[in-house]
Amino acid sequence: MNEASDSETRRASITATALTTSLGDGLDDVWGQLLAGRSGISRLTSSFVDEYDLPVRIGGVLAGHPSDHLTRVETRRMSYVEQQALVLARRLWTTAGDPIVDSDRLAVCIGTGLGGAEALVDAVDTMRARGYRKISPFAVPMIMPNGPAATVAVEFGARAGVFAPVSACASGAEAIARGWQLIADGDADVVIAGGVEGTINAVPIASFAMMRAMSTRNDDPPAASRPFDRDRDGFVFGEAGALVLLESAAHARRRGARSIADVVGAGVTSDGHHIVAPVPDGNGIARAMRKAIAAADIAADRVTHVNAHATSTSVGDAAEARAISDVVPQASVYAPKGALGHSIGAVGALETALTAKTLASATIPPTLNFIDGDPGVELDVVHSRPRETDARYALTNSVGFGGHNVSLLLETTRLSRSAPSRMSPLD
């Protein structure tokens, strides 16, 4: 196999996206809000905030519920994350032009953090109050964390494999890494990949608050999430879900689909250090970044942009900053969680879509609330206003509790490849 064809087989083209965030639905809509410097973080209005007198009263909440787009029967038989995955997958497929795909060459990789946790709570409450006969026969399928991926696989008849990474905040990115590997290894032509997560609720807020990992800047919600800023005081929840359609370059070309950007490498590592804290020197995410770059067989100095995980926690941001400085010190850096908050299992997929858009549009949005940089953070953090970029390669990082590290390397298709398309490449 010649070098050009080998390079082509090691890339997975992102030919469509479907996402939902507190700033809106769809990549173009959210992108416009980010470029305008708007925040999706506001004061929470749910009754549980006052009921439990929670110290954290802010978050990014979705405008709608996936059940708004499903039948009553579908809603009754699926957990929230399964509903979200199915709605997004249908939207993704439509955006992609309803492609005709060999089922034996179609795979699904959808990650989640807590999965159908609320369905478990509901089932326990029902059984205690009304007995076992009132438990839904769908209770277990609603609870199982592979439910979102399996639901989508059944919907589209995917038979090349169903994968459901459960790696905390790295779940969505790991799902895309797995999808890229399936295509690179020749095991699939098309992969529905991404991440979904449940709604903001009391128990996770209480737990993270007790860790002192969440911002309590309740009096100024839009300014609460402050990635890399010296005054950061913790992360902010932001509801979201995101899927991307990955295709082999050959398959995309055959059906006339244009790629937004290509995934050309992935690195997955683990810290083996602590259940909630990263290695302080950022060694774990640094190794993941290097693995992603090595997978693409390029020099590190060719990577000139990084989408940072940067959740706005003291330890996490500092560790990632060290990793970026060590591996790609020349790179510009953007941290979306300043505007969107942290969507746990969905965030890696969401930020992959945003990184693809950065490359496709040659524009980097401003990192919100980066006012006074941490003295230990020597990074070129894009802030205050959008910045034009000529980046060909960009990394997007995800880090999860338990020591999970995932880094994805994307390459722009804006510079060297074009193809006729039946759809907008930026949807």
Side-chain angles (χ1 to χ4, degrees):
M1 181 177 291
N2 63 44
E3 182 178 349
S5 60
D6 182 62
S7 173
E8 181 174 277
T9 61
R10 298 295 295 174
R11 65 179 64 238
S13 296
I14 300 174
T15 56
T17 68
L19 55 88
T20 181
T21 77
S22 57
L23 278 178
D25 294 343
L27 185 52
D28 279 347
D29 186 17
V30 174
W31 189 252
Q33 302 282 346
L34 293 174
L35 290 180
R38 297 194 178 98
S39 171
I41 309 303
S42 60
R43 192 169 182 84
L44 295 175
T45 58
S46 300
S47 60
F48 63 72
V49 175
D50 288 329
E51 180 182 358
Y52 298 109
D53 192 24
L54 294 174
V56 174
R57 295 168 173 262
I58 53 177
V61 180
L62 300 182
H65 193 284
S67 62
D68 297 339
H69 307 281
L70 299 169
T71 67
R72 186 176 300 176
V73 172
E74 288 173 327
T75 300
R76 190 171 62 246
R77 293 181 175 182
M78 290 186 288
S79 65
Y80 178 89
V81 287
E82 290 167 345
Q83 294 174 32
Q84 188 182 71
L86 182 58
V87 169
L88 288 174
R90 287 172 175 171
R91 191 179 303 162
L92 180 75
W93 209 252
T94 299
T95 300
D98 296 312
I100 297 173
V101 180
D102 180 353
S103 293
D104 290 341
R105 305 288 297 166
L106 172 64
V108 174
C109 302
I110 299 177
T112 185
L114 294 177
E118 92 289 344
L120 175 59
V121 174
D122 290 344
V124 171
D125 288 346
T126 296
M127 191 153 148
R128 284 175 174 169
R130 304 170 64 189
Y132 86 91
R133 292 182 182 275
K134 296 299 181 180
I135 295 295
S136 168
F138 295 95
V140 170
M142 290 167 69
I143 295 166
M144 61 192 195
N146 66 310
T151 296
V152 172
V154 170
E155 172 78 3
F156 292 95
R159 300 194 305 213
V162 183
F163 305 88
V166 180
S167 44
C169 310
S171 300
E174 189 171 337
I176 294 175
R178 183 66 174 123
W180 167 77
Q181 192 70 59
L182 288 168
I183 289 174
D185 289 346
D187 293 328
D189 293 326
V190 179
V191 182
I192 298 171
V196 291
E197 197 57 82
T199 59
I200 297 171
N201 60 62
V203 172
I205 288 179
S207 178
F208 283 117
M210 293 301 292
M211 286 184 215
R212 299 182 181 178
M214 296 195 73
S215 173
T216 55
R217 198 174 269 110
N218 297 315
D219 57 341
D220 192 4
S225 182
R226 309 174 74 88
F228 297 126
D229 191 83
R230 70 184 304 162
D231 292 330
R232 64 190 183 276
D233 69 331
F235 78 89
V236 178
F237 277 129
E239 295 174 351
L243 299 179
V244 299
L245 194 71
L246 300 176
E247 297 188 56
S248 69
H251 190 277
R253 184 171 57 249
R254 283 197 301 271
R255 74 180 191 90
R258 179 178 290 179
S259 175
I260 305 171
D262 289 352
V263 180
V264 294
V268 179
T269 67
S270 55
D271 288 348
H273 170 70
H274 193 276
I275 196 65
V276 297
V279 177
D281 64 3
N283 174 268
I285 190 61
R287 286 186 291 112
M289 294 165 69
R290 289 193 179 97
K291 286 181 70 173
I293 293 169
D297 194 23
I298 65 167
D301 61 10
R302 299 185 69 187
V303 179
T304 55
H305 180 66
V306 174
N307 178 95
H309 183 69
T311 62
S312 190
T313 62
S314 177
V315 175
D317 286 14
E320 186 181 11
R322 293 187 183 98
I324 295 171
S325 295
D326 188 32
V327 180
V328 285
Q330 72 282 355
S332 57
V333 176
Y334 172 53
K337 293 180 185 69
L340 296 169
H342 192 0
S343 52
I344 313 301
V347 79
L350 171 61
E351 295 185 3
T352 298
L354 296 178
T355 306
K357 184 73 170 179
T358 293
L359 292 174
S361 65
T363 307
I364 306 167
T367 299
L368 289 196
N369 306 318
F370 182 80
I371 299 168
D372 191 3
D374 189 321
V377 175
E378 298 181 359
L379 300 176
D380 177 19
V381 178
V382 178
H383 64 287
S384 301
R385 62 184 63 86
R387 181 193 297 180
E388 293 183 355
T389 178
D390 60 358
R392 177 170 181 174
Y393 295 99
L395 286 165
T396 179
N397 293 336
S398 292
V399 178
F401 275 8
H404 300 273
N405 305 294
V406 179
S407 190
L408 302 170
L409 181 66
L410 275 61
E411 181 182 7
T412 184
T413 56
R414 178 174 44 83
L415 301 177
S416 59
R417 304 210 328 272
S418 62
S421 177
R422 296 192 301 268
M423 73 217 65
S424 167
L426 302 183
D427 282 344

